[in-house]
């Protein structure tokens, strides 16, 4: 059965990008809905403290998985390039190397997560009244990160050939299982954050098994046979060359989010942490289109470069940026407009809702700036240049936010001032990224 029906190097770009992105948007929507169920169940049936405890781990989890998401991006770029060039042997070596790396890294990080969870939470000044609950949730979640890491590598392979439907279907199944288990563990068995964590690990393991089964049954060069797993040095070198900077770029985002979370924790208020947590869950829905179009920018650029269709690369960037920013503006405005009602799904506490609305304004309403940043960085990554956007991310995002929190926040000690560092850092870094993109474009397309 042929699953890849998208010709990324020929035909109308706008249409093909939409066909590629729609399943990804549905996948992102479902992921957000299922994650929202986690938070709603905890907030409604376990209370404010468990809600805050789960929220306090978010930036740590994202940091933990960012590097390996970057390596998955490296896999996506390399496999897509080989497929665009019709190099089946190279694509096969890249697939085997990626899955082997994913399995090895997943096991190592799962074991390490058990030991680092509490020290990191202490380092971030997690409020004492939620520290034990946060530790329980984080240890279990990180122990189950093996499944998440392996899934990311495998889905990168399927996306490289335009197959975004099967990963969506697998997440639908896993998400339904997760939602059912949340209700059983939290509502009926009163397991609070322990129940949510265990449900998440079980469902992520299910999605990993489903996507691995798909790769084991493929009939083309992306087929994986477990008894033939191996590492190809050249493939690994290229995946690392592209993926490590991309992962560092994601880690830069998550590291600064940890710094911001620490600043939020400095108020020593579970109400503020809970409001921030609820708003983040709503805010994540704004990323539905953004993440899909950013993934399209990487994959279409990589395949076009591999096929020698360099004249399409600039068009891909402009089309995906228009779609990315448009979706951010539309969904962000709706999220803020109906934010008060949406936040009541997570909590009945008016002070918690008030904090959530502050975050939805300062971040949700300006997220299009982040969309521009993502498209520019991912387009450069698709052209095989991931180090430069990573360096820009480190210098732009981290430095801007750290300076803001060090010099401005102590003077104007309010939650609004903390949230303002997000749009300001996005704007500064996007302006730098624009210059960098056209530098890379000239080097790869015009003078190569």
């Amino acid at each position: 059965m042929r699953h890849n029906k998208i010709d990324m190097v020929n035909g109308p770009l706008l249409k093909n990008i939409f066909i590629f992105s729609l399943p990804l948007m549905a996948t992102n929507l479902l992921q957000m809905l299922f994650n929202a169920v986690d938070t709603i169940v905890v907030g409604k049936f376990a209370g404010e403290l468990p809600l805050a405890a789960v929220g306090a781990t978010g930036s740590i989890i994202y940091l933990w998985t960012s590097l390996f998401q970057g390596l998955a991006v490296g896999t996506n770029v390399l496999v897509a390039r080989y497929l665009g060039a019709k190099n089946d042997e190279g694509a096969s070596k890249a697939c085997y190397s990626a899955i082997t790396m994913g399995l090895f890294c997943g096991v190592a990080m799962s074991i390490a997560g058990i030991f680092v969870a509490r020290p990191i939470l202490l380092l971030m000044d997690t409020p004492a009244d939620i520290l034990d609950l946060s530790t329980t949730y984080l240890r279990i979640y990180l122990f189950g990160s093996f499944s998440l890491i392996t899934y990311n590598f495998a889905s990168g392979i399927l996306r490289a050939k335009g197959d975004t439907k099967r990963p969506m279907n697998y997440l639908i199944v896993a998400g339904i299982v997760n939602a059912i288990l949340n209700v059983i563990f939290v509502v009926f068995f009163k397991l609070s954050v322990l129940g949510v964590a265990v449900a998440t690990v079980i469902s992520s393991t299910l999605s990993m098994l489903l996507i691995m089964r798909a790769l084991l049954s493929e009939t083309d060069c992306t087929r994986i046979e477990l008894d033939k797993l191996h590492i190809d040095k050249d493939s690994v070198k290229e995946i690392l060359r592209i993926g490590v900077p991309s992962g560092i770029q994601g880690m830069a985002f998550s590291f600064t989010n940890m710094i911001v979370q620490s600043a939020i924790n400095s108020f020593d208020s579970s109400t503020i942490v809970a409001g921030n947590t609820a708003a983040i869950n709503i805010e994540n829905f704004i990323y539905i289109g953004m993440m899909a179009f950013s993934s399209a920018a990487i994959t279409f650029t990589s395949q076009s470069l591999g096929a020698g269709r360099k004249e399409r690369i600039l068009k891909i960037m402009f089309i995906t940026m228009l779609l990315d920013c448009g979706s951010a503006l539309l969904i962000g405005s709706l999220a803020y407009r109906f934010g008060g009602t949406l936040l009541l799904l997570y909590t009945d506490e008016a002070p918690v809702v008030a904090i959530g609305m502050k975050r939805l304004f300062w971040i949700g309403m300006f997220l299009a700036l982040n969309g521009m940043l993502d498209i520019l960085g991912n387009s450069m990554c698709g052209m095989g240049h991931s180090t430069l956007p990573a360096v820009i991310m480190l210098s732009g995002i981290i430095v801007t936010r750290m300076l803001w929190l060090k010099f401005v926040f102590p003077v104007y000690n309010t939650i609004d001032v903390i949230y303002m560092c997000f749009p300001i850092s996005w704007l500064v870094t996007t302006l730098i990224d624009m210059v960098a993109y056209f530098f890379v474009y000239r080097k790869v397309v015009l003078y190569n």
Side-chain angles (χ1 to χ4, degrees), residues 4 19 34 54-55 90 105 123 150-151 170 208 220 269 311 347 356:
N4 177 18
I19 294 174
F34 294 135
V54 172
C105 293
L123 187 64
T150 305
Y151 176 88
Y170 304 147
M208 182 269 291
D220 58 14
S269 168
E311 74 279 2
T347 178

Side-chain angles (χ1 to χ4, degrees), residues 355-373:
I355 294 297
M357 287 300 295
K358 290 179 184 292
R359 180 173 180 114
L360 287 179
F361 174 76
W362 286 111
I363 299 178
M365 293 295 290
F366 296 94
L367 209 54
L369 291 171
N370 191 9
M372 296 175 66
L373 186 61

Side-chain angles (χ1 to χ4, degrees), residues 276-407:
N276 186 70
T277 300
I280 288 174
N281 273 264
I282 296 173
E283 173 192 318
N284 285 339
F285 283 92
I286 308 174
Y287 287 94
I288 290 170
M290 295 172 63
M291 291 188 291
F293 296 127
S294 293
S295 181
I298 292 178
T299 309
F300 275 75
T301 300
S302 300
Q303 277 221 14
S304 296
L305 184 64
R309 298 295 305 274
K310 295 181 179 181
E311 74 279 2
R312 294 166 67 89
I313 290 177
L314 189 62
K315 296 178 183 178
I316 292 169
M317 189 275 288
F318 279 121
I319 290 173
T320 52
M321 181 174 288
L322 179 64
L323 295 172
D324 195 300
C325 294
S327 68
L329 287 170
L330 175 61
I331 304 176
S333 299
L334 291 173
Y336 181 68
R337 171 65 179 81
F338 298 102
T341 302
L342 294 172
L343 287 165
L344 288 173
L345 295 173
Y346 297 85
T347 178
D348 297 321
E349 302 293 330
V352 175
V353 172
I355 294 297
M357 287 300 295
K358 290 179 184 292
R359 180 173 180 114
L360 287 179
F361 174 76
W362 286 111
I363 299 178
M365 293 295 290
F366 296 94
L367 209 54
L369 291 171
N370 191 9
M372 296 175 66
L373 186 61
D374 285 344
I375 292 297
L376 291 168
N378 287 350
S379 297
M380 285 187 274
C381 186
M383 288 186 279
H385 288 259
S386 56
T387 301
L388 182 58
V391 171
I392 293 172
M393 192 70 66
L394 287 167
S395 58
I397 295 291
I398 290 183
V399 172
T400 301
R401 292 182 186 177
M402 290 185 69
L403 289 175
W404 183 268
L405 293 174
K406 181 176 179 60
F407 294 106

Side-chain angles (χ1 to χ4, degrees), residues 167-182:
M168 175 188 69
N169 293 334
Y170 304 147
L171 286 176
I172 290 175
V173 175
I176 292 173
V177 170
N178 186 39
I180 293 173
L181 291 177
N182 274 328

